[in-house]
Amino acid sequence: MHAHERLDIQLQGPQFRYISTPDLEAENKERFTHDVLKWIPLEGRPSLEDPEGSLYLPGGGIAKSLFEDCSKENIPAIVVLVFCAEGDNAQDAVKLAYNLNLWMDLIDFKPKYDLDGKTIIKPASTWRVPSSWRLLFGTAVDQTLFH
């Protein structure tokens, strides 16, 4: 989501937020907000018509309409979000994937110990950056231009 659209309360602290459908929220509320995750639910955007705040996802693409459709049809859904500025958002994407992995355990990053309790067995899986990100901002500048 667009970082420049944050509320005052969203300026400091973790830039990761989430929204989930009511059933999924009820099932996972404790884990989302108190356990290892400590996720922050997305704050509503107050307005004159709705002082409590409504769902506002600036730069969220189709996430809002998809989430609202899932909510209406009682389809469990979660939207994980991160506030980010324009530019290279590769690290933001990795943080988003990391947070999702904390909940879903898609990749095991925890070191394991051999039976002797001393030898660390490193996890085989790590995040792989898509090859399309390699030239995200074009090729490197030819340094001979500056000589």
Side-chain angles (χ1 to χ4, degrees):
M1 295 194 318
H2 296 310
H4 66 274
E5 292 274 354
R6 293 175 289 181
L7 299 169
D8 289 348
I9 195 169
Q10 298 166 333
L11 293 175
Q12 294 184 0
Q15 297 302 292
F16 180 86
R17 297 291 193 275
Y18 80 97
I19 51 174
S20 62
T21 53
D23 289 345
L24 191 63
E25 181 73 19
E27 185 179 315
N28 292 281
K29 176 81 173 169
E30 187 70 23
R31 185 156 189 224
F32 286 162
T33 59
H34 297 296
D35 288 346
V36 175
L37 301 180
K38 294 185 175 82
W39 288 359
I40 301 170
L42 181 66
E43 300 85 350
R45 176 66 54 114
S47 66
L48 293 175
E49 299 84 33
D50 185 7
E52 292 295 314
S54 59
L55 184 59
Y56 184 65
L57 305 176
I62 65 166
K64 181 179 178 180
S65 61
L66 186 60
F67 177 76
E68 289 173 341
D69 289 347
C70 287
S71 294
K72 286 178 195 166
E73 299 295 326
N74 292 321
I75 299 170
I78 186 167
V79 179
V80 291
L81 312 152
V82 66
F83 292 107
C84 53
E86 289 188 34
D88 184 358
N89 299 121
Q91 288 301 316
D92 297 316
V94 170
K95 287 178 191 174
L96 194 77
Y98 174 79
N99 274 292
L100 188 59
N101 187 61
L102 284 175
W103 174 46
M104 301 194 73
D105 265 340
L106 302 170
I107 296 177
D108 184 12
F109 285 118
K110 299 170 207 84
K112 294 182 175 44
Y113 296 91
D114 204 348
L115 294 177
D116 64 6
K118 298 175 189 170
T119 308
I120 296 177
I121 303 169
K122 292 184 180 179
S125 299
T126 57
W127 294 118
R128 285 184 283 156
V129 176
S131 61
S132 60
W133 289 8
R134 192 176 69 242
L135 299 175
L136 191 60
F137 291 100
T139 57
V141 176
D142 183 1
Q143 294 300 311
T144 60
L145 292 172
F146 305 104
H147 291 105

